Every structure is written in C-alpha cells, then in structure tokens.
Amino acid sequence: MNRPPVDAQFLDFARELASCSAKVIKPYYGRRDLRVESKSDKSPVTEADRKAEEAMRRLIRQRYPSHGILGEEFGQEREDAEYVWVLDPIDGTVSFANHCPLFGTLIGLLHAGKPVLGAIHQPLIGQLCIGTEGGTRLNGTPARLRPTTALQEAVVLTTDLANVKRYQDWQKFERLISMGKLFRTWGDCYGYLLLTAGGADVMADPIMHAWDLLPLIPIIRGAGGTITGWAGEDPTTATSCVAASADLHARVLEILNA
C-alpha cells in the first residue's frame, strides 16, 4: 500500500498534542514532593506521566474519534484503526523525576501500521522536532543529521549502560564507544533530538518499546538518517534501536554484530 502524504491537519494536531501535554508536565518538574511509583515491569511512573497521557487521549477522542491510540500508560484503543496515535507522555521518567531535563514527550502517527509522523517535544526549553517522509523540522527549521562519516569523529550516545550489559553484547558496545570521539549518556528521546539537531552522530538503545521507537522512525528518516533495530532489523517491529547517518550506521552495525 502506498502511503499518502501526511495531511497538514495531522502536523498541526501533533503540535497541539505537544502543547497540551506540556501544560500538564511543566508544573510537576522539579517538585520535591513528586511521587514516583514502580509499574509491574519495574519502570517508574509519576502523576505527570498519567495525566499528560490522559489529556492527549481526550484530545484525540474529541478530534478524531475513529482513530486508534497506543500509549505507554493506558495501552491500546482501536488498535486496528486506519490511523493510530502513539503516545509516550514522558520518555525519560527517571530523568524527569530526578530534576534532569533530558526527557521529552513522544508523539507518533501510524497509517495502516506504518509510521508516517513523529514528534519529540522538550517542554521546558520549547524544542519541538517533527518528522515525516517529506522532511524533519526543529522549531520550524529544516533539520538534518550532520555529515559525519568517520566513527573516530563521532559523538556516540546511549540511554543506560546497565541496559546494554543486560540486553546486548557489552564487549562489542564497549569497542564501539572506544572508537568514537566522544561518548555520553544524553539519552532517552532527547538523544534522538540531539541527533537531528546536529549535536550527536550515533544513538543506540539496547531495549525499547513500541511507544519509544515508532515516533522516532519518521523523524530520523526525514532528517536523512538510517534507523533500525540493533541487528539491522526493521524498526517498526524491533525492540532495540540504532540511529545514525547512512555511512556511520553501517559501520556501527558491523561493530555491534561482528
């Protein structure tokens, strides 16, 4: 099935969802009395996560009642719909709960199961990155991955080293970061925003959920990058992620899967 271009109304609506979630999230940031709970999978969740997703879900139901929703906090609604919105209200809850601004809201749109729109919003500093197959923009300005081709000149990012050790081959990843110019854990969705903004060259996450990964696909591709699973598999069904420029991506996969 050929994917239609993303209608401008959906781009405008993604911006509206980002604004809606930001209004909920910002008053919670930095609060010392913020309660952090553990979900069944041991991941953290706060009232801000839940209320932000609830607000976005209400808006979707009002505007597009026939659309489906897949969200981190409240699961699926109408998952077989032609259009499905993907929501991660706070990607980087650990950072958020510890007063670190390396977090954001992820918003995606699937058409017939394929990602056609993605957005990353950092509400504290007002950075909004929106991508489609037609291109990616950061606060309205075209965004492209920087043309780094040599790994020794690359800034390499991941979210959590403990997860690399838990889910992937640590020795191979250690070799990757030793070959790069600089390695940092500027992670979660903000690492991918940095990638599109030209602040980093490789972002690799060893374990991800659909709501973490699906919104990123149009963003990275629209910015001229390549995104796959850790072993090079289709990112729409992957449970891990490697994103970089095409030349670097091939080299990174070679090292991680040697």
Side-chain angles (χ1 to χ4, degrees):
M1 177 184 295
N2 292 326
R3 281 180 283 165
V6 177
D7 194 298
Q9 66 174 316
F10 295 146
L11 291 168
D12 290 340
F13 188 62
R15 297 183 188 100
E16 193 173 344
L17 288 172
S19 177
C20 167
S21 62
K23 289 176 183 176
V24 175
I25 292 167
K26 288 170 70 175
Y28 285 95
Y29 181 75
R31 281 176 47 174
R32 295 195 174 191
D33 63 346
L34 182 66
R35 182 179 177 185
V36 183
E37 302 173 24
S38 290
K39 294 187 285 190
S40 59
D41 63 357
K42 307 300 183 184
S43 63
V45 64
T46 70
E47 186 177 16
D49 295 79
R50 294 186 177 118
K51 287 189 175 298
E53 184 170 319
E54 286 173 342
M56 289 190 287
R57 282 176 177 265
R58 282 195 299 271
L59 201 54
I60 293 167
R61 293 183 194 118
Q62 291 167 5
R63 195 71 54 80
Y64 299 109
S66 66
H67 287 195
I69 304 173
L70 168 62
E72 176 175 7
E73 306 308 333
F74 298 104
Q76 294 183 330
E77 296 179 26
R78 296 178 295 280
E79 61 268 27
D80 296 328
E82 180 182 6
Y83 287 98
V84 176
W85 292 91
V86 182
L87 307 174
D88 188 345
I90 301 179
D91 185 66
T93 299
V94 171
S95 294
F96 176 81
N98 288 283
H99 310 173
C100 173
L102 298 181
F103 70 91
T105 298
L106 283 169
I107 299 164
L109 179 63
L110 310 181
H111 176 257
K114 301 297 182 183
V116 294
L117 180 154
I120 303 170
H121 187 220
Q122 210 304 329
L124 300 182
I125 54 179
Q127 286 183 300
L128 178 60
C129 184
I130 299 182
T132 70
E133 61 183 10
T136 294
R137 289 179 173 269
L138 178 57
N139 287 354
T141 300
R144 300 284 294 179
L145 272 70
R146 60 188 179 191
T148 306
T149 57
L151 186 55
Q152 60 266 32
E153 296 299 321
V155 175
V156 180
L157 307 180
T158 194
T159 299
D160 187 341
L161 287 173
N163 277 341
V164 178
K165 294 178 181 180
R166 188 174 297 121
Y167 295 104
Q168 302 293 345
D169 189 313
W170 168 248
Q171 290 184 333
K172 293 175 182 176
F173 187 76
E174 192 173 35
R175 178 170 178 247
L176 170 68
I177 61 179
S178 71
M179 295 175 69
K181 178 181 179 180
L182 180 68
F183 169 70
R184 291 291 185 270
T185 51
W186 300 333
D188 294 303
C189 66
Y190 198 76
Y192 297 91
L193 192 152
L194 284 174
L195 202 63
T196 64
D201 303 288
V202 178
M203 182 71 190
D205 276 316
I207 184 71
M208 298 185 84
H209 297 285
W211 48 79
D212 303 315
L213 182 49
L214 291 172
L216 301 175
I217 297 171
I219 295 171
I220 298 301
R221 289 177 175 169
T226 300
I227 181 168
T228 67
W230 200 270
E233 67 270 37
D234 182 350
T236 60
T237 56
T239 55
S240 58
C241 183
V242 176
S245 63
D247 290 341
L248 276 180
H249 188 274
R251 180 65 177 133
V252 169
L253 286 190
E254 179 184 336
I255 294 166
L256 293 180
N257 298 283

